């Protein structure tokens, strides 16, 4: 069909956006690259024919989406239509080899560890100059908490490209123990509100036995089962792939036990003109939600005292002050639907909130620090500690798993372990100007503590000598670094602060001095104003040493069965595996603003609007078939 004919079909149709069905989400167009790649004819190969390359391949599916949005994350293999990528087969193979071998430690005989899957993917993005726009995060089960399908749903709905892994768990007496796993790319969730049997849609890198050419993209769908198991000594709720698996050598229990995702950079703080409104600034985003500023009023117009990003489920935990109509407390803010849920009532206003890399919540109430585990939004107190004086700033050190605080009127550095046991207390060096509202942050590369305050002329890099005494390692000063609040660093080591009500970023220039960043994602925003910079998304994961052994490598044995699935294509709008009249009729109904198939909307190109280009893209895909 010619473009003019397609245009004639489109003109009579009313344009209308569609909201996604509640609890159903599907992301069309995510690639499904094959991990199995051997040399033959004119093709290049992966080590071991790619048998262990499930983690890099699941990641490359996600990188391709960002690449197509214009960020060039797959050099030499750029494409707007990855369905037609066979001419780029060798280029994709070369990139897969580099991502796996050089960034994730993947080899012919060993897979990628969970932490390497997160850190390697972030390093890849950083090295391609997009680290200020995109962050890679991950969560693996930590004993009693396993990934929830609702978390995966929330990330996909927020346009976070999401990967997950299942582990193969084998029975040892009355326990299940993990031995290997497999990584996949999530593309949708149906019935996410059903806690017992939701459906997960995904791409499986092992969905083809072709070794010399790209197979058809395939959509795999599984009903998951919510079950209780003794997981290596802990009784846990988990999601499994099969209801009848017994954990024997022939039928291991396949449990979703980790997931990773790519988050467009976001900062959240208070509105510069309305202290009872949250200001959420998207530094970068995929086309479905372009960068920009959104202000959201808090419940009962409560003043937001502090905020912490709960990276695991993509929500924010807010400390809100009391109002005449509601008590102070901790609220969960979900940016997917801008909803608020109270999770705790407090008898006084909280001073600070913080979330560690394991998802635990810390609340400061005067000189007391409390730590909670959140179970379905019910806070369970794990520990508390009463300090000699109230902290004036704090940060969580992911490398040492300690809570670092400025105490005694911003004159001392105090540390508590993650279990809230005392670690140490040291005076800050003399000669520092610290007054007003304090701030503390850990540099992601050096691991050193940086401190400042709203009355400081500089940010101070703090070191510790062999005797544990503090010293000033360096200063960050600039005319624009004035009245700083909410000190932060991104993964590239750039320093951020809300200075005079505007978020500014600084980096070390060619002369070795801190200076405003030239260009970059922040400077592309027309509005960088913020009352206080509370929290900024960053790369984070909860990898633990106990999971570093061979059993925790996400490996894909050569005998992993190829899953059943349906060929994926643009024309199959209702996801039934066939392109026919029902797809065309379903799309027209959806485009006109009537009903849509589950998880679908008419925004085929996912640019945030429904228009002629979507209709034209669908018709072209319909004509091509699968």
């Amino acid at each position: 069909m010619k473009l003019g004919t397609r245009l004639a079909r489109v003109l009579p149709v009313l344009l209308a956006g569609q909201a996604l069905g509640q609890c159903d989400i599907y992301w069309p167009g995510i690639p499904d690259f094959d991990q199995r790649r051997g040399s033959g004819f004119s093709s290049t190969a992966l080590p071991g024919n790619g048998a262990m390359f499930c983690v890099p391949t699941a990641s490359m599916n996600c990188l391709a989406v960002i690449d197509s949005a214009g960020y060039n994350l797959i050099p030499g293999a750029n494409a707007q239509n990855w369905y037609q990528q066979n001419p780029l087969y060798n280029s994709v193979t070369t990139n897969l080899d580099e991502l796996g071998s050089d960034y994730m430690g993947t080899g012919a005989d060993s897979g990628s560890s969970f932490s390497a899957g997160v850190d390697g993917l972030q390093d890849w993005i950083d090295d391609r100059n997009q680290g200020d726009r995109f962050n890679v995060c991950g969560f693996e089960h930590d004993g009693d908490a396993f990934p929830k399908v609702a978390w995966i749903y929330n990330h996909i709905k927020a346009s976070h490209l999401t990967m997950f892994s299942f582990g193969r768990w084998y029975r040892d007496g009355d326990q299940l123990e993990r031995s290997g796993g497999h990584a996949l790319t999530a593309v949708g969730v149906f019935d996410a509100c059903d806690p017992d049997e939701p459906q997960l849609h995904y791409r499986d890198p092992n969905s083809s036995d072709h070794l010399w050419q790209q197979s058809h993209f395939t959509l795999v769908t599984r009903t998951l089962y919510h079950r209780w198991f003794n997981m290596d000594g802990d009784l846990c709720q988990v999601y499994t792939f099969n209801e009848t698996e017994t954990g024997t050598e022939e039928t291991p229990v396949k449990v979703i036990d980790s997931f990773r995702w790519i988050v467009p950079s976001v900062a959240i703080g208070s509105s510069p003109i309305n202290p009872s409104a949250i200001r959420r600034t998207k530094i970068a985003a995929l086309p479905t939600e372009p960068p920009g500023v959104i202000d959201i009023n808090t419940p009962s117009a409560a003043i937001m005292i502090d905020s912490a990003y709960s990276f695991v489920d993509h929500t924010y935990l807010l400390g809100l002050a009391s109002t005449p109509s509601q008590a102070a407390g901790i609220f969960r803010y979900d940016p997917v639907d801008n909803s608020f849920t109270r999770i705790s009532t407090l008898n006084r206003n909280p001073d600070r909130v913080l979330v560690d890399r394991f998802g635990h919540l810390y609340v400061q109430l005067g000189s007391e620090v409390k730590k909670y585990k959140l179970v379905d939004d019910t806070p369970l107190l794990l520990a508390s500690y009463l300090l000699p004086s109230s902290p004036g700033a704090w940060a969580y050190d992911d490398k040492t798993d300690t809570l670092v605080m400025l105490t005694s009127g911003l004159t001392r550095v105090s540390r508590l372990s993650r279990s809230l046991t005392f670690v140490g207390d040291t005076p800050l060096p003399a000669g520092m100007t610290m007054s007003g509202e304090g701030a503390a942050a850990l540099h992601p590369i050096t691991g050193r503590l940086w401190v400042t305050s709203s009355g400081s002329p500089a940010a101070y890099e703090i070191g510790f000598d062999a005797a544990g005494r503090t010293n000033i390692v360096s200063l960050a000063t600039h005319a624009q670094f004035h009245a700083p609040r909410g000190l932060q660093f991104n993964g590239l080591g750039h320093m951020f602060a809300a200075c005079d009500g505007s978020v500014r970023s600084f980096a070390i220039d060619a002369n070795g001095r801190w200076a405003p960043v030239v260009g970059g994602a922040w400077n592309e925003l027309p509005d960088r104003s913020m009352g206080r910079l509370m929290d900024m998304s960053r790369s984070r994961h909860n990898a633990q040493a106990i999971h570093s052994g061979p059993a925790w490598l996400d490996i894909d044995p050569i005998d992993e069965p190829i899953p059943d699935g349906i060929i994926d294509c643009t024309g199959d709008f209702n996801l039934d595996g066939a392109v026919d009249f029902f797809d065309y009729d379903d799309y027209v109904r959806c485009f006109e603003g009537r009903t849509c198939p589950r998880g679908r909307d008419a925004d085929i190109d996912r640019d945030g609007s429904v228009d002629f280009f979507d209709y034209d893209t669908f018709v072209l895909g319909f004509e091509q078939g699968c």
Side-chain angles (χ1 to χ4, degrees):
M1 184 185 296
K2 295 181 178 179
L3 176 60
T5 307
R6 291 199 299 271
L7 181 60
R9 286 187 178 181
V10 174
L11 289 177
V13 183
L14 297 176
L15 300 178
Q18 289 295 307
L20 292 170
Q22 186 178 12
C23 305
D24 297 332
I25 184 69
Y26 174 73
W27 189 330
I30 295 178
D32 180 25
F33 296 136
D34 296 336
Q35 73 178 83
R36 303 202 183 282
R37 293 169 181 253
S39 59
F41 304 109
S42 60
S43 67
T44 56
L46 291 176
N49 290 339
M52 303 296 182
F53 272 69
C54 57
V55 173
T57 309
S59 304
M60 194 64 68
N61 290 338
C62 299
L63 292 173
V65 176
I66 303 176
D67 184 270
S68 295
Y71 294 106
N72 193 27
L73 289 180
I74 310 180
N78 310 93
Q80 291 299 314
N81 182 6
W82 289 101
Y83 286 103
Q84 307 297 325
Q85 70 90 54
N86 264 325
L88 301 173
Y89 186 81
N90 285 349
S91 295
V92 171
T93 304
T94 299
N95 280 276
L96 280 171
D97 190 8
E98 183 180 359
L99 178 60
S101 301
D102 297 345
Y103 285 81
M104 296 181 173
T106 315
D109 302 314
S110 62
S112 313
S113 68
F114 166 76
S115 59
V118 177
D119 295 336
L121 184 55
Q122 183 68 61
D123 290 343
W124 177 279
I125 293 172
D126 291 347
D127 288 349
R128 283 144 189 84
N129 300 314
Q130 301 302 333
D132 60 344
R133 287 184 169 87
F134 299 102
N135 306 302
V136 182
C137 297
F139 179 86
E140 63 176 352
H141 103 76
D142 62 355
D144 57 353
F146 277 71
K148 299 179 180 179
V149 176
W151 296 348
I152 297 175
Y153 167 83
N154 231 34
H155 283 290
I156 297 175
K157 195 164 185 180
S159 294
H160 299 167
L161 292 151
T162 306
M163 302 137 277
F164 69 97
S165 296
F166 67 76
R168 299 181 187 85
W169 291 74
Y170 297 87
R171 191 169 297 281
D172 181 9
D174 62 349
Q175 300 179 14
L176 291 174
E177 295 185 354
R178 190 184 196 273
S179 182
H182 183 44
L184 310 110
T185 307
V187 298
V189 179
F190 284 0
D191 295 326
C193 299
D194 180 354
D196 295 320
E197 295 186 7
Q199 282 190 335
L200 187 58
H201 304 290
Y202 60 89
R203 308 293 201 197
D204 190 329
N206 186 46
S207 58
S208 172
D209 55 5
H210 289 291
L211 291 179
W212 306 290
Q213 65 178 3
Q214 172 64 44
S215 65
H216 290 293
F217 291 178
T218 303
L219 177 65
V220 183
T221 301
R222 281 187 183 271
T223 296
L224 301 181
Y225 300 95
H226 196 198
R227 308 175 69 186
W228 286 89
F229 279 119
N230 185 339
M231 307 300 290
D232 201 11
D234 295 297
L235 187 62
C236 305
Q237 297 184 63
V238 301
Y239 282 98
T240 67
F241 268 37
N242 295 93
E243 190 174 24
T244 58
E245 289 171 326
T246 61
T248 64
E249 187 68 28
E250 294 77 20
T251 58
V253 181
K254 295 181 179 179
V255 177
I256 296 179
D257 52 19
S258 71
F259 74 121
R260 299 173 293 133
W261 58 96
I262 303 176
V263 186
S265 297
V266 176
I268 188 170
S270 57
S271 165
I273 59 175
N274 180 8
S276 63
I278 301 168
R279 169 151 292 193
R280 181 163 57 96
T281 300
K282 295 187 73 69
I283 306 170
L286 295 172
T288 46
E289 189 177 354
V293 174
I294 301 173
D295 286 349
I296 306 99
N297 290 324
T298 61
S300 300
I303 293 175
M304 182 177 67
I305 298 173
D306 203 2
S307 165
Y309 180 48
S310 179
F311 72 104
V312 172
D313 58 4
H314 184 55
T315 63
Y316 293 85
L317 297 175
L318 310 178
L320 300 186
S322 63
T323 69
S325 61
Q326 75 173 16
I330 308 300
F331 288 73
R332 186 184 296 280
Y333 163 61
D334 189 340
V336 170
D337 58 9
N338 288 326
S339 64
F340 293 87
T341 303
R342 179 188 284 273
I343 64 173
S344 175
T345 297
L346 303 173
N347 58 12
R348 54 154 291 174
N349 290 345
D351 296 287
R352 282 172 182 80
V353 295
L354 178 147
V355 174
D356 67 17
R357 68 188 186 96
F358 304 98
H360 297 137
L361 169 67
Y362 298 76
V363 180
Q364 178 199 341
L365 300 167
S367 58
E368 186 177 22
V369 178
K370 294 187 174 184
K371 177 183 178 180
Y372 297 92
K373 173 184 175 181
L374 299 177
V375 179
D376 297 327
D377 280 343
T378 299
L380 304 178
L381 184 64
L382 297 179
S384 64
Y385 192 89
L386 189 63
L387 293 158
S389 64
S390 299
W394 66 7
Y396 189 84
D397 188 343
D398 284 2
K399 294 186 177 180
T400 62
D401 283 322
T402 55
L403 188 60
V404 185
M405 299 164 289
L406 299 185
T407 56
S408 300
L410 307 180
T411 64
R412 303 182 71 87
V413 178
S414 301
R415 290 179 177 268
L416 297 176
S417 72
R418 59 178 290 211
S419 60
L420 296 192
T421 58
F422 179 76
V423 175
D425 179 83
T426 310
L428 282 171
M432 296 174 55
T433 302
M434 296 288 288
S435 62
E437 182 177 337
L442 281 302
H443 195 285
I445 300 172
T446 66
R448 283 206 181 100
L449 173 67
W450 284 76
V451 300
T452 190
S453 68
S454 57
S456 297
Y460 305 91
E461 183 182 15
I462 304 300
F464 292 83
D465 63 18
R469 295 183 295 262
T470 60
N471 57 82
I472 299 175
V473 178
S474 67
L475 301 177
T477 61
H478 193 275
Q480 293 186 20
F481 192 82
H482 182 260
R485 294 173 181 269
L487 189 69
Q488 300 277 323
F489 287 96
N490 69 4
L492 298 176
H494 295 173
M495 180 186 296
F496 288 79
C499 300
D500 293 323
S502 180
V503 177
R504 304 183 190 278
S505 56
F506 303 87
I508 297 177
D509 64 15
N511 297 316
R513 295 189 294 262
W514 287 90
V517 174
V518 177
W522 262 107
N523 294 323
E524 295 170 4
L525 294 173
D527 184 0
R528 290 178 287 159
S529 60
M530 189 173 289
R532 294 169 63 214
L533 180 62
M534 302 290 187
D535 202 37
M536 181 183 293
S537 60
R538 57 191 172 97
S539 180
R540 210 173 194 195
H541 61 73
N542 69 327
Q544 302 175 73
I546 60 172
H547 293 166
S548 61
W552 281 92
L553 294 178
D554 286 312
I555 56 177
D556 180 21
I558 202 71
D559 60 353
E560 175 67 25
I562 295 174
D564 294 328
I566 61 174
I567 294 177
D568 181 79
C569 59
T570 303
D572 183 16
F573 188 63
N574 57 20
L575 306 181
D576 67 354
V579 176
D580 51 30
F581 166 76
F582 297 104
D583 294 293
Y584 203 105
D585 184 58
D586 285 341
Y587 186 76
V588 169
R589 289 174 178 273
C590 187
F591 188 82
E592 291 176 339
R594 292 183 280 168
T595 59
C596 299
R598 293 181 61 188
R600 301 307 306 267
D601 65 11
D603 185 14
I604 295 291
D605 58 14
R606 290 185 63 85
D607 65 354
S609 63
V610 177
D611 51 28
F612 159 75
F613 298 103
D614 295 294
Y615 198 100
D616 186 59
T617 299
F618 168 73
V619 173
L620 184 61
F622 183 82
E623 292 172 345
Q624 292 175 340
C626 287

